[in-house]
Amino acid sequence: MPNTSTLDTPIVMLMTHAPSHPLTKRALECAQSLCANDSKTTVEQNSLTTTDFKIFLYSDAVMLANRLIWLPEDIENMAKNWQHFAMSHDITIQVCVSAALARGVTDADNATRHQLQGDNLADGFELVGLGELAMHLHRAKTVYQF
């Protein structure tokens, strides 16, 4: 893992796999490691901030942002794990709005706009367009794709 405190451009993590895919868990482990490495930096160093670390969900990965996913206790709930990660590290995970709507994930604004019966976007996530990802990739020095 890179020393995130020395990067002067953001790290981007792009995720495309469903919550049940093994790479989804690996991506969470990578994100936790990046944040753990950052917590060891000294006060004099630049610390990793939400502007330095962008997580973007696309394709089936958008289902991680669904706050209504329930699984029995014997199955690891990666959606809940990612939701907990976002909240505990004060990171807002960006979600492709088109991919999310196509998979039944929406916030209140889009539910109203598209006449849907409620919203289910979990805390710690926001719906954005692909332009956000393009801007992050343009500035990024390091990109992780899962």
Side-chain angles (χ1 to χ4, degrees):
M1 296 290 158
N3 180 357
T4 57
S5 63
T6 62
L7 295 176
D8 53 358
T9 56
I11 295 171
V12 174
M13 181 176 287
L14 171 62
M15 298 173 49
T16 59
H17 293 287
S20 61
H21 195 282
L23 284 178
T24 302
K25 182 174 183 175
R26 180 65 185 116
L28 179 59
E29 292 166 352
C30 179
Q32 290 168 330
S33 178
L34 288 169
C35 289
N37 286 344
D38 180 65
S39 68
K40 296 175 185 173
T41 62
T42 64
V43 175
E44 295 83 29
Q45 294 173 309
N46 295 329
S47 61
L48 184 65
T49 66
T50 58
T51 58
D52 298 324
F53 186 32
K54 298 294 184 183
I55 301 172
F56 192 92
L57 306 183
Y58 188 67
S59 190
D60 287 342
V62 302
M63 292 183 284
L64 291 167
N66 184 345
R67 66 178 165 82
L68 300 178
I69 290 180
W70 178 90
L71 293 171
E73 288 186 27
D74 62 336
I75 298 176
E76 187 170 26
N77 191 330
M78 291 308 298
K80 295 292 183 202
N81 293 351
W82 272 101
Q83 292 165 15
H84 176 73
F85 172 81
M87 298 305 292
S88 64
H89 292 283
D90 197 27
I91 292 175
T92 300
I93 298 175
Q94 295 182 324
V95 182
C96 175
V97 64
S98 295
L101 288 169
R103 289 163 179 84
V105 178
T106 187
D107 59 7
D109 290 341
N110 280 289
T112 301
R113 180 179 303 120
H114 300 290
Q115 301 174 355
L116 302 173
Q117 295 180 0
D119 64 275
N120 59 348
L121 187 69
D123 291 337
F125 295 82
E126 70 174 331
L127 298 183
V128 298
L130 279 176
E132 291 289 324
L133 175 61
M135 289 188 316
H136 300 324
L137 292 174
H138 179 73
R139 292 180 52 228
K141 182 175 181 181
T142 306
V143 178
Y144 295 94
Q145 183 176 356
F146 292 92

